[in-house]
Amino acid sequence: MLGKSPADVIGLLAEMVRDTAGALSIGQPGTALIAGKWREIPDQASLERILNELPHKPFLVGEDGVSMSLAGVQTKLAIALDGDTLYIPINGAPSTHIIKPDGERLPGAVQNEAFCLTLARMIGIPTPKVTTGTAGGRSYLLVERYDRRHDGKRWRRLHQEDFCQALGRPPAAKYQNNDTGLKGPSLADMLGVTLRHMTAQQTARFVDLAIFNPMAACNRPEFGGQLHASCAAAGNCDGRSGYMVHSRRGSQKCRFATCKTLITRWTAFSMSRPFVSPILNGMPR
């Protein structure tokens, strides 16, 4: 779609990473961020068309001025929300929200994730603000980005790292047990990062989330100047370190952000591969 070789890492980054996770933005020399450069999605029919095209046109690749990238197995799109109007960020402008449409691979995932995130928030675990919506025959989850902040004048990106980055592990090792031969971070490894770089209160938040995750959801942890985390109380065994992110500002300690994604396993949906969880006392969680 981009006319780039899969081996052309720099070329791919230049085309797809103007807006991505955290504070990083990569563009051509001479280009700069123009705050508020958004293209309006005029109506529900237009939004439905965009959602329908995403499986074949991920992140609207190839559209003029659109350059974004997001990790994760679920289909998603970075967008901007101003009032009740949705926009597509272009020319390097930061997004403010992520939209996750329904899909055949994870039936009921929109309502599932909205329920789990709301449940976590109700018992005191920090989660991003979420809402659900419809566009024609499609439903979607709208998630406020934890790595964006409005300073009164413009939207700004916040730096983040996941536990793999913090521990110097490659992306393929985001699961403690995986089929790559690379051992991923253990729960003890991740707890060690929080103890070294966060306050006791933030560490307690991480522990709360580590407990909630296997009990409630099939989730992912992250932490960032802000941090989020993989969740547990919903029957979630997807405790992947790649979804725990942290960030810091200047000399400040890292801060737990939110629990980014929560989906319970207690619903009948099929996955292409089994979830792999961290190990506790030598046994899968």
Side-chain angles (χ1 to χ4, degrees):
M1 293 182 180
L2 294 172
K4 305 287 183 182
S5 165
D8 184 4
V9 176
I10 300 301
L12 291 172
L13 289 175
E15 293 289 341
M16 296 189 65
V17 197
R18 292 302 303 276
D19 188 53
T20 186
L24 186 66
S25 178
I26 299 176
Q28 297 292 341
T31 59
L33 173 75
I34 303 175
K37 189 71 173 181
W38 298 333
R39 187 175 69 212
E40 182 179 351
I41 301 175
D43 49 42
Q44 293 297 304
S46 298
L47 178 58
E48 182 181 23
R49 176 186 56 78
I50 289 171
L51 298 181
N52 288 337
E53 289 179 350
L54 283 180
H56 314 288
K57 194 177 181 181
F59 307 121
L60 303 183
V61 62
E63 290 199 8
D64 186 37
V66 178
S67 174
M68 65 178 74
S69 180
L70 293 167
V73 67
Q74 292 174 267
T75 299
K76 57 180 69 72
L77 181 69
I79 62 169
L81 176 66
D82 186 18
D84 295 326
T85 305
L86 296 175
Y87 300 83
I88 301 297
I90 61 173
N91 298 332
S95 56
T96 66
H97 290 67
I98 294 172
I99 192 168
K100 298 180 178 182
D102 54 10
E104 294 180 358
R105 184 168 180 270
L106 294 174
V110 169
Q111 295 75 21
N112 185 329
E113 188 169 349
F115 169 78
C116 290
L117 288 170
T118 302
L119 174 63
R121 178 180 288 271
M122 290 178 68
I123 64 174
I125 293 176
T127 63
K129 295 179 181 178
V130 297
T131 187
T132 60
T134 58
R138 303 298 302 274
S139 63
Y140 61 84
L141 183 75
L142 189 63
V143 185
E144 184 178 282
R145 297 195 66 151
Y146 67 89
D147 55 349
R148 301 288 186 267
R149 287 292 181 274
H150 196 274
D151 63 7
K153 296 181 179 179
R154 52 178 280 192
W155 285 95
R156 294 186 178 276
R157 299 176 171 95
L158 300 182
H159 173 65
Q160 69 165 28
E161 294 178 12
D162 62 32
F163 278 114
C164 275
Q165 292 170 309
L167 291 164
R169 308 289 178 86
K174 64 182 178 181
Y175 292 100
Q176 182 178 2
N177 288 334
N178 56 73
D179 54 10
T180 67
L182 301 171
K183 190 170 181 61
S186 66
L187 187 58
D189 293 331
M190 293 184 279
L191 183 59
V193 172
T194 67
L195 289 170
R196 289 192 299 273
H197 299 290
M198 290 188 232
T199 64
Q201 182 181 28
Q202 298 299 317
T203 300
R205 285 188 174 185
F206 171 74
V207 173
D208 286 344
L209 190 53
I211 294 171
F212 180 80
N213 187 43
M215 293 173 57
C218 261
N219 189 47
R220 318 140 188 219
E222 318 207 6
F223 73 111
Q226 310 238 116
L227 179 19
H228 24 268
S230 178
C231 297
N236 178 19
C237 299
D238 182 16
R240 67 183 77 171
S241 61
Y243 281 92
M244 319 232 178
V245 294
H246 66 270
S247 63
R248 70 178 71 192
R249 297 178 182 179
S251 60
Q252 295 180 4
K253 281 183 172 289
C254 296
R255 179 166 69 87
F256 197 85
T258 65
C259 176
K260 182 177 109 173
T261 302
L262 279 173
I263 299 179
T264 180
R265 290 199 70 179
W266 306 125
T267 58
F269 61 77
S270 62
M271 301 296 290
S272 59
R273 54 168 293 179
F275 286 107
V276 184
S277 65
I279 301 298
L280 295 178
N281 294 324
M283 299 293 291
R285 180 169 54 115

